[in-house]
């Protein structure tokens, strides 16, 4: 099967959206030294651009959750593969996600984090597919609402491919 990625959101639009989200985070977290937790692997490019625009003192870490494998449907069975231990206790945490689809991964991560007694937890996501949510998710800082298509590029993969594309694309 051959797959052609089509541009959905250009790199220019991505950077404008990041400027806006970063400005909101800068305003909300001045003097709080927030801990940004990126969900690997999809958030790695977004995180790198986001923290440079936030430009206030903050810390960065990453976690990894069990993923789709090579399919395009969430199994709903989630595991935290890179555990966070004591690092979140008493911290103002901001989860940095690439895409919210069913919301199951994020809901699981939020409950995992809350057990570790952070001072606060908020969610920042580059993209969201609201038509696909299976559980309620409150996104505090959002880049783009996207249609129910399979998204790739700007860190987001399809079976490990296309992460390097500079624009957000969809495949059919
Ligand atoms: P959820 O648990 O269904 O919300 O899925 C969350 C994760 O599934 C995301 O962080 C992505 O890793 C992956 N995912 C969901 N939709 C897409 C997509 O359209 N393209 C690539 N990965 C996706
Ligand atoms: Mg992800």
């Amino acid at each position: 099967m051959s797959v052609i990625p089509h541009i959905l959101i250009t790199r220019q639009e991505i950077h404008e959206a990041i400027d806006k989200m970063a400005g909101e985070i800068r305003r909300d977290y001045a003097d709080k030294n927030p801990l940004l937790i990126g969900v690997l692997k999809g958030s790695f490019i977004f995180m790198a651009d986001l923290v440079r625009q936030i430009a206030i003192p903050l810390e960065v870490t990453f976690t990894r959750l069990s993923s789709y494998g090579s399919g395009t449907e969430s199994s709903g069975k989630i595991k935290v593969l890179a555990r966070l231990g004591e690092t979140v206790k008493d911290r103002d945490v901001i989860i940095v996600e690439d895409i919210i689809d069913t919301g199951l991964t994020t809901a699981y991560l939020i409950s995992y984090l809350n057990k570790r007694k952070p001072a606060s937890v908020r969610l920042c996501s580059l993209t969201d597919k609201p038509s696909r949510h299976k559980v309620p998710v409150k996104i505090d800082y959002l880049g783009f609402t996207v249609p129910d298509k399979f998204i790739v590029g700007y860190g987001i993969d399809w079976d490990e491919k296309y992460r390097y594309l500079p624009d957000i694309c969809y495949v059919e």
Side-chain angles (χ1 to χ4, degrees):
M1 189 173 74
S2 99
V3 169
I4 301 161
H6 305 276
I7 293 180
L8 181 65
I9 300 163
T10 65
R11 62 200 82 177
Q12 177 64 32
E13 293 169 317
I14 295 170
H15 291 293
E16 286 165 11
I18 290 175
D19 272 354
K20 183 166 171 290
M21 285 184 272
E24 292 166 4
I25 293 171
R26 192 185 312 126
R27 183 197 63 207
D28 294 347
Y29 288 87
D31 305 319
K32 288 193 166 162
N33 190 32
L35 176 65
L36 276 68
I37 303 180
V39 182
L40 290 173
K41 300 178 193 171
S43 69
F44 80 109
I45 295 177
F46 178 39
M47 178 71 97
D49 284 340
L50 182 68
V51 294
R52 285 179 288 181
Q53 291 303 318
I54 297 174
I56 56 167
L58 55 79
E59 292 175 23
V60 174
T61 190
F62 289 93
T63 186
R64 182 129 194 243
L65 294 123
S66 51
S67 73
Y68 286 7
S70 58
T72 57
E73 279 291 311
S74 178
S75 67
K77 292 192 195 105
I78 297 136
K79 268 171 65 180
V80 177
L81 302 177
R83 306 187 67 81
L84 291 159
E86 289 295 297
T87 52
V88 303
K89 191 163 187 296
D90 299 328
R91 299 300 304 269
D92 289 299
V93 168
I94 306 173
I95 298 168
V96 177
E97 265 284 16
D98 53 352
I99 186 158
I100 313 289
D101 186 45
T102 62
L104 292 167
T105 307
T106 306
Y108 184 90
L109 179 59
I110 290 170
S111 76
Y112 173 90
L113 291 173
N114 279 330
K115 283 180 202 147
R116 283 151 183 85
K117 304 278 181 269
S120 66
V121 178
R122 284 192 184 172
L123 174 61
C124 174
S125 185
L126 180 62
T127 64
D128 179 38
K129 281 191 218 169
S131 62
R132 299 259 311 161
H133 290 185
K134 288 187 180 160
V135 289
V137 244
K138 177 171 174 281
I139 306 174
D140 301 285
Y141 309 98
L142 174 65
F144 303 96
T145 295
V146 294
D148 184 7
K149 292 182 183 296
F150 202 78
I151 303 300
V152 297
Y154 196 74
I156 305 169
D157 73 309
W158 176 60
D159 199 10
E160 294 303 325
K161 290 184 273 288
Y162 305 120
R163 291 193 199 276
Y164 61 90
L165 296 175
D167 308 292
I168 296 175
C169 303
Y170 66 92
V171 291
E172 335 182 84

